Amino acid sequence: MGVNEAVPPPYTLAAGRLGGVSIVFLAVAAVTPLSVVATAVPGAYAGAGPVALPLLFLGLGLLLLVFAAGYLAMSRRMPHAGALYCLVARGLGRPLGIGAAWLALLAYAALQVSLYAVAGAAAGPALAVPWWVVALGCWAVVAICGLLPLAVTAWLLAALVPAGVAVILGYSVADLLQPAGGSLTWETLSPANLSGLPRPALGILLVLVALAFAGFETTAAYAEEAHRPRRSITRATYLSIAALAVLFAAASWAMSVATGPGRIAAEAGARGPDLMFDLAAGRLAPWAATLGRVVLVAGLLAAMIALHQTTARYLFALGRERVLPPGLGRTGRRTSAPGAASLTQTVVVGLVIGAGALADADPDSAARLLGVAGGLGILLLLLGASLAALMFLNRHPNGEGVWSRLLAPGLSTVALGALGYLAFDDLPALLGVPDGSVLPAVAAGAVLLGVVYGLALRSASPVTYASIGLGGAAVVVTPSLPMVRTVPRQRQPGAHRPERVNREELTG
């Protein structure tokens, strides 16, 4: 029998320090809503024309609300700093859970580096410095925030996130008050505008809209630190999804109203990410557009901080369970922050930025490639978490209703599976390159390596293997013993009558 009491008690994160509002700020910051509106919305209009993009945002938001029912039912049972890793491990098996952890680390790292590239490309020309100088400045700020208590970082995001939302709402109101042609148009709110799209174009559009929400799932990673985890995480997740869906739908509709539905495709194709700011400059004071660009860079910084915090918690969870070196599972004595994991992540990201600077990488191309790669990784993880919820909650029901236990996970698994198929089927178009086969190979390789590592752990360290997904809780492993079948000896005739035993020997 093996018991993990032989190792020191696991480190824990600061419990009860985060409220639901702080978790909302962390999740919304990870999504970078201002960046989505400035880049993804014009890109969608430029590629597909005056389609019903606001309806797609609302539809994908509804799908994610359905997904959240099973996702939150699992999270309430097992609050864990490595949320998606834990859910897949408990629902689909520990080896696949480790594969999901490797994929999550790659996906969140790709998203982070893409944001550094975007910030460098956006602010570098204005400051007359190379992109990597801006990236390293943001990297230093993120490194400092990673060592602070999470509650302090959440207060910083409480200032940056509302500023980005205010810019989106302010620009949208200005667009609606001064529409093209002098009257509001509703063409991009008509479902009929989706019927004429060919299947490949509609598939790419759906995937782009889905990737715009990547980051909302980080709410569950803070369950161990939340005040009233069950209530806080549930409310924060639903509120984040609903707010983002409405915000994206309103901004995309207002942009089409400002240019006119007939010109939105041409304007978006010609101006790209500048479209939102150019429309604001024509309707507001000149300083409003400049302020919006500053807030965009601040929002990118907020996203870097939020994704850094999430990734550090995944590394911490893997270190605490000894899947990775145990040193990663240490927390600061005063801050209870995962300092070792945060420093490790800071070093890795800094090396990647340095390598990009030495290679003279194009920040725009790198941002597109890494952003799509990270978003697709998150999409695969959501699919795995949905399937895991469907399997686990029906194997071990504990008060969940039919909706959260069966219907919601089943529907979201089918829908997310269809989105995943569309994404990888149209991957070259998403990436803007002739061949995008390297991304599926990298994702499959990460998961496969995790599975192999998990199987090796099962043989080499049964106690560590059994603790996967348990957050450092004590486990007992009882080895299976070979069954020994005892064959009873044949009874000697007359043994119950001693006077008759061996009578022949006595008389002989």
Side-chain angles (χ1 to χ4, degrees):
M1 180 175 67
V3 185
N4 69 350
E5 293 174 351
V7 300
Y11 288 85
T12 58
L13 299 169
R17 299 284 182 88
L18 288 180
V21 176
S22 297
I23 297 173
V24 170
F25 286 143
L26 285 162
V28 173
V31 178
T32 60
L34 185 56
S35 177
V36 169
V37 174
T39 58
V41 171
Y45 277 133
V51 295
L53 188 59
L55 296 184
L56 291 182
F57 278 118
L58 294 176
L60 264 295
L62 181 61
L63 167 61
L64 294 179
L65 289 175
V66 173
F67 161 81
Y71 180 60
L72 293 172
M74 289 279 283
S75 298
R76 285 192 290 266
R77 285 219 213 165
M78 48 196 78
H80 198 281
L84 293 171
Y85 147 66
C86 170
L87 267 60
V88 174
R90 300 295 296 275
L92 301 180
R94 294 176 177 87
L96 274 176
I98 298 179
W102 289 178
L103 183 59
L105 293 175
L106 283 177
Y108 285 124
L111 287 175
Q112 284 186 75
V113 177
S114 72
L115 293 174
Y116 285 108
V118 172
L127 299 175
V129 296
W131 70 269
W132 52 267
V133 174
V134 177
L136 287 177
C138 295
W139 171 81
V141 175
V142 173
I144 294 172
C145 291
L147 300 178
L148 297 175
L150 185 57
V152 176
T153 304
W155 278 108
L156 175 61
L157 298 183
L160 297 178
V161 172
V165 174
V167 168
I168 296 173
L169 293 177
Y171 286 4
S172 299
V173 171
D175 291 340
L176 295 175
L177 291 177
Q178 299 183 43
S183 60
L184 293 176
T185 56
W186 310 91
E187 185 174 342
T188 53
L189 294 178
S190 173
N193 285 331
L194 296 173
S195 59
L197 280 178
R199 204 282 307 165
L202 180 59
I204 293 174
L205 195 60
L206 285 170
V207 173
L208 284 174
V209 172
L211 297 184
F213 288 88
F216 83 92
E217 77 290 340
T218 59
T219 53
Y222 305 104
E224 296 184 33
E225 301 161 272
H227 178 62
R228 297 181 180 178
R230 295 172 62 93
R231 179 181 300 179
S232 298
I233 299 301
T234 299
R235 292 181 176 179
T237 304
Y238 283 129
L239 180 58
S240 300
I241 296 172
L244 290 169
V246 173
L247 189 66
F248 292 156
S252 58
W253 175 55
M255 203 174 293
S256 69
V257 169
T259 62
R263 291 192 52 79
I264 182 63
E267 294 289 342
R271 303 187 189 185
D274 291 328
L275 176 61
M276 180 178 68
F277 302 106
D278 291 345
L279 292 175
R283 290 165 172 78
L284 300 170
W287 58 264
T290 303
L291 178 63
R293 295 180 186 275
V294 174
V295 173
L296 172 62
V297 176
L300 293 172
L301 179 61
M304 299 171 201
I305 294 171
L307 290 173
H308 179 95
Q309 296 288 348
T310 300
T311 310
R313 274 148 185 79
Y314 273 82
L315 288 171
F316 164 78
L318 292 166
R320 181 175 59 182
E321 295 175 2
R322 296 179 175 265
V323 177
L324 290 180
L328 293 172
R330 296 179 180 273
T331 57
R333 292 183 179 180
R334 295 183 178 180
T335 63
S336 294
S342 181
L343 285 173
T344 300
Q345 182 188 185
T346 299
V347 171
V348 172
V349 173
L351 291 175
V352 173
I353 296 174
L358 292 175
D360 196 21
D362 178 22
D364 293 321
S365 300
R368 180 182 179 88
L369 175 63
L370 294 173
V372 172
L376 291 179
I378 299 301
L379 180 61
L380 291 179
L381 289 168
L382 295 182
L383 173 60
S386 183
L387 182 59
L390 179 65
M391 301 293 290
F392 182 87
L393 295 175
N394 286 280
R395 283 200 307 260
H396 310 284
N398 187 22
E400 294 85 7
V402 176
W403 168 251
S404 59
R405 176 173 54 86
L406 179 63
L407 295 180
L411 291 173
S412 62
T413 299
V414 173
L416 291 171
L419 284 175
Y421 169 78
L422 292 174
F424 287 97
D425 187 49
D426 299 319
L427 195 55
L430 281 172
L431 296 174
V433 296
D435 183 16
S437 59
V438 64
L439 287 186
V442 171
V447 175
L448 181 60
L449 286 176
V451 171
V452 172
Y453 182 63
L455 295 176
L457 272 181
R458 184 171 64 181
S459 300
S461 181
V463 174
T464 299
Y465 180 80
S467 68
I468 292 174
L470 299 182
V475 296
V476 177
V477 178
T478 303
S480 58
L481 299 176
M483 295 183 61
V484 179
R485 181 174 297 177
T486 303
V487 180
R489 295 177 61 185
Q490 185 177 3
R491 190 177 65 177
Q492 186 177 4
H496 62 291
R497 298 285 300 274
E499 67 276 9
R500 300 180 60 183
V501 176
N502 296 331
R503 180 175 298 175
E504 295 180 359
E505 296 179 1
L506 293 175
T507 57

